[in-house]
């Protein structure tokens, strides 16, 4: 089945810094989502982005489906950005399964 | 308020005692899904449902059952729980896309932390 790899696995930033999180996938996908899991465990969807670029405030995401990767950009990071960031893909295998990456754990220091 | 609810939020049980975790959404979503989250493994899909009476296996369905008798509810059933099912469980729901029938943006419930002794 499709493999989803995220990098880096861990990231520590000073407040105000920028960062780029990467999601690589091993096969074609129908769609891709980015999620943030906050320190209380809540999962919040950030972007639904099977291709192209989207922006929402300090966050933006780009998916290059032909090259099988997606990037999540966080600018001017804040302590509230801390948590784990997951990408999840739905493969083109004919099912409607979702496969999650193992996440990037981000800690933003004040 | 649009939301996905799960009950219970926390549960400690013993091996072999049947249990049900309920999931309900009020957004009229067609697609619903169950995931388990374990340290170092991310989230893995257990079962999903494209609509009423339509369910299919995810990547880790062994030891679980689901049903979708109503659009808003998607309970997860553990007939004979074992300690390796100790985990954090999430339910999610979404609309399905007109273009290909696949799931749209998923919205997650708050999670159910299950411990099986």
């Amino acid at each position: 089945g499709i493999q989803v790899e995220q990098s880096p696995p861990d990231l520590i930033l000073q407040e105000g810094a920028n960062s780029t999180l990467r999601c690589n996938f091993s096969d074609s996908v129908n769609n891709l989502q980015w999620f943030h899991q906050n320190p209380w465990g809540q999962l919040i969807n950030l972007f639904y982005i099977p291709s192209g670029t989207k922006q929402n405030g300090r966050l933006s995401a780009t998916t290059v489906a032909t090259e099988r990767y997606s990037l999540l950009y966080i600018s001017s990071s804040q302590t509230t950005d801390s948590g784990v960031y997951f990408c999840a893909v739905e493969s083109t295998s004919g099912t409607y399964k979702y496969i999650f990456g193992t996440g990037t754990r981000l800690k933003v220091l004040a | 308020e649009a939301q996905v609810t799960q009950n219970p939020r926390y549960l400690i049980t013993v091996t072999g005692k049947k249990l049900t975790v309920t999931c309900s959404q009020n957004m009229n979503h067609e697609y619903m899904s169950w995931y388990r989250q374990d340290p170092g493994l991310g989230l893995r899909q257990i079962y999903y449902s494209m609509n009423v009476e339509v369910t299919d296996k995810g990547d880790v369905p062994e030891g679980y059952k689901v049903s979708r008798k109503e659009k808003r509810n998607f309970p997860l059933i553990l007939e004979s729980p074992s300690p390796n099912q100790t985990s954090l469980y999430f339910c999610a729901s979404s609309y399905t896309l007109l273009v290909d029938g696949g799931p749209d943006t998923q919205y997650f419930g708050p999670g159910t932390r299950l411990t099986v002794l």
Side-chain angles (χ1 to χ4, degrees), chain A residues 16-68:
Chain A
N18 302 329
S19 62
T20 301
L21 283 57
R22 188 175 180 104
C23 173
N24 291 333
F25 41 96
S26 61
D27 205 347
S28 301
V29 298
N30 280 332
N31 67 63
L32 183 146
Q33 283 191 254
W34 282 97
F35 296 91
H36 175 219
Q37 187 170 35
N38 64 25
W40 297 271
Q42 187 181 9
L43 277 159
I44 300 161
N45 69 77
L46 299 175
F47 294 102
Y48 175 90
I49 186 165
S51 63
T53 297
K54 291 187 178 180
Q55 179 150 10
N56 185 1
R58 296 180 297 102
L59 273 60
S60 64
T62 295
T63 296
V64 184
T66 52
E67 297 187 23
R68 300 179 184 169

Side-chain angles (χ1 to χ4, degrees), chain B residues 3-74:
Chain B
Q3 58 183 348
V4 179
T5 57
Q6 296 179 224
N7 282 292
R9 295 288 314 279
Y10 302 91
L11 180 60
I12 301 174
T13 189
V14 295
T15 299
K17 186 176 181 181
K18 180 179 179 179
L19 66 93
T20 299
V21 184
T22 64
C23 173
S24 184
Q25 50 93 7
N26 62 0
M27 295 169 277
N28 203 35
H29 285 166
E30 295 88 11
Y31 185 91
M32 296 187 75
S33 182
W34 276 102
Y35 299 89
R36 60 178 290 174
Q37 184 176 20
D38 302 289
L41 296 177
L43 281 88
R44 293 177 293 167
Q45 193 172 39
I46 303 170
Y47 270 96
Y48 63 94
S49 168
M50 297 303 295
N51 214 323
V52 176
E53 303 291 3
V54 181
T55 63
D56 209 344
K57 296 177 181 178
D59 275 349
V60 288
E62 295 78 19
Y64 304 95
K65 284 176 58 176
V66 292
S67 68
R68 187 92 181 272
K69 293 184 169 49
E70 304 166 282
K71 198 171 186 180
R72 62 185 293 127
N73 296 323
F74 190 44

Side-chain angles (χ1 to χ4, degrees), chain A residues 49-103:
Chain A
I49 186 165
S51 63
T53 297
K54 291 187 178 180
Q55 179 150 10
N56 185 1
R58 296 180 297 102
L59 273 60
S60 64
T62 295
T63 296
V64 184
T66 52
E67 297 187 23
R68 300 179 184 169
Y69 72 89
S70 183
L71 302 174
L72 177 69
Y73 305 97
I74 305 174
S75 64
S76 304
S77 58
Q78 302 175 356
T79 55
T80 52
D81 295 331
S82 296
V84 184
Y85 290 82
F86 292 102
C87 70
V89 303
E90 183 214 337
S91 75
T92 59
S93 63
T95 70
Y96 297 106
K97 289 183 184 180
Y98 259 93
I99 308 297
F100 276 70
T102 52

